[in-house]
Amino acid sequence: MKFSSRIRVRTWIYFILLTVGILATLWIFQIAFLSSYYQQERTDNVRMVADIIEEGIREDNIGIKIQLTAVRNNVCAVVYNSQGELLYQVDSVGLGCYLTQRVIENPRNVSDYIQRAEESKTKDFVLPLENSQLNQSMLVYGRAVTIDFGNFYIFLNATLEPLDSTVDILKNQYIYVTLIVFFLSTLIALLISGRMAKPIIQMNRSAQKLAEGNYKVKFEKSEFGEITELAETLNYATAELAKMDELRKDLIANVSHDIKTPLTMIKAYTEMIRDLSGDNPKKREEHLDVILTEVNHLDRLVNDMTKLSQFQSKVLELNVKEFDIVDLLKQTVNVMQGLIQQEAIDVEIMSYLKVIVKGDEVKIGQVLYNFINNAVKHIGEDKKIILQLLVDEGIVRVEVIDHGDGISEEDIPYIWDRYYKVDKHYQRQTAGTGLGLAIASAVLTQHKAKFGVNSELGKGSTFWFELPLVKVVENEE
Ligand code: ADP
């Protein structure tokens, strides 16, 4: 990893950039522009005093208020009429007042100023001056006021404080501020980046362990929401990976067991035919039958495995259509007629005439086949299977009920897993592959349908699922 791309370095660089930005702005406003700001402010000040004096003239009431304002703003003021006669004077600057010192004493200056105000478009002017006697900057402001009873001229003089020493102080302070700010931002940058980097470094370590196949790793939460979310996602992924790994191990164990058993049988019987029964047609026939049964079982097993993995990886798209589920129930029972009759089972369908639902007919047919087939395998003494359709607010609930073995509470959550067999020592009699319910669950999950089982050991089971209802036909139309 490049050094400059580390969180610590990056964060520090960003902080320093921010700091430089802030300091530069401060420099520009506080130091470089200070005097022009000050002048602007002072000019605004003087204009404000001129406004008040103008108001006084217009109302013919130049009184104490004007005097106070002038004093408060450190401004001296004179008002002339158009004949150049001095009408009013406030001097709060004293000796320093340029207007009283220079202008009044030299009437030519007065007419000069009057002319200047008259000639200006805005009828006023600002004149920065340098009082060489006092070595002080100042500004003179003039304004022409025209009212019914004549023209008046307001002149104001304000001193500008020398800013050099202030700027010097600020510059000095600025150096300290710069040092302190750089120090603080480095400190904060290190703190923040440390806090951000730590959980990521930890996560990286955990992820490496995970990559090595340790599914027990935990990704720690952090004070940052996003990192906590990432940790949660990774924890979830770890759990899923662990499950997959478990499943893979189970699968290999079960598959090899399930394939190995028939293979051993096939091998043994083939050898028997070769060595013993080859010439004995009756025995040979028997042995070939066993081989055929085993091959059939293997075939079914491989088929189921392919189907399941196709469903689970969602390779097969659902072909959702409207169809009559009552009809599908009847068809499924029909397909199994041989088995049902052989076991003398009574299948009862409790439903309306037609119930139109939405779903993939072929795949739902497979689910029904599996449920009914299981019910046959676990049939109770009453030899009865009930297929029931319950209709409720846009939903049809399909139930396959038997009164047979039932499933214990501990087993119920697992029967949908592949290769899960309630009886672990269960000898293959009806050639179950242990994949039927896993396939049913994959199909129903793909339909986003609700499904489940209610069962009690020794009393029987009700396997059910729900599909969206389109309509119900109760009687022949
Ligand atoms: P199998 O090929 O073994 O029947 P399934 O996936 O169809 O595989 O069923 C898984 C397990 O669930 C079965 O081994 C059985 O123990 C249990 N099971 C399924 N249906 C029933 C039922 N109707 N009654 C009792 N147990 C059942």
Side-chain angles (χ1 to χ4, degrees), residues 82 121 231 379:
S82 45
K121 249 192 226 152
I379 193 78

Side-chain angles (χ1 to χ4, degrees), residues 82 93 385 475:
S82 45
V93 185
I385 296 175
N475 304 302

Side-chain angles (χ1 to χ4, degrees), residues 228-246:
T228 303
E229 268 172 34
L230 177 63
E232 277 164 7
T233 313
L234 286 172
N235 280 332
Y236 175 68
T238 310
E240 288 298 302
L241 276 176
K243 264 197 238 160
M244 296 270 277
D245 192 54
E246 189 85 344

Side-chain angles (χ1 to χ4, degrees), residues 370 374 377-378 402 407 415 420 422 432-434 436-437 461 463:
N370 175 255
N374 277 343
K377 278 194 271 180
H378 302 274
D402 69 68
I407 308 162
I415 54 166
Y420 190 83
V422 172
T433 57
L437 288 184
S461 319
F463 280 82

